[in-house]
Amino acid sequence: MKAFPLLLLLGGCAAAGGRPVTAPRLPAPYGTAGLERVTGQTAAALTQLFGQPDADVREGTARKLQFQSGICVLDAYLYPPKSGAEPRVTHLDAREPDGSAIDRASCVAALTRREGGK
């Protein structure tokens, strides 16, 4: 007899119309492992590591450097840590050339092996 209340409780969990309820898909969290060579670096250090950027965009005190290869595209966002200080990388985005997601550390590793910055 103790099972009957449990069955009633479970029956109340069924979705209307008998359709299963699906949870929204959450993006995978990004880790920072493998990004130590890039995070906190200056534009000069990035250029030394990857070669000349494929794009260099400035807006106010912020700067975005973009590096590309056949494997991925890396956007490095540089902001000054304090007024008048040299901008440093505070955020990174990475994607495959078709826009698909790719691990940022894998992209950094791939870009360090490209020839002449491309």
Side-chain angles (χ1 to χ4, degrees), residues 20-34:
V21 176
T22 57
R25 237 185 130 157
L26 300 175
Y30 290 110
T32 58

Side-chain angles (χ1 to χ4, degrees), residues 46-55 66-69 110-118:
L46 292 181
T47 301
Q48 185 175 0
L49 181 63
F50 300 131
Q52 289 300 313
D54 296 286
Q66 185 176 85
F67 300 92
Q68 299 178 23
S69 73
L111 289 169
T112 59
R113 292 188 289 271
R114 72 182 185 161
E115 295 286 328
K118 285 197 177 192

Side-chain angles (χ1 to χ4, degrees), residues 5-21:
L6 181 60
L7 289 174
L8 286 176
L9 181 63
L10 290 175
C13 292
R19 290 189 215 144
V21 176

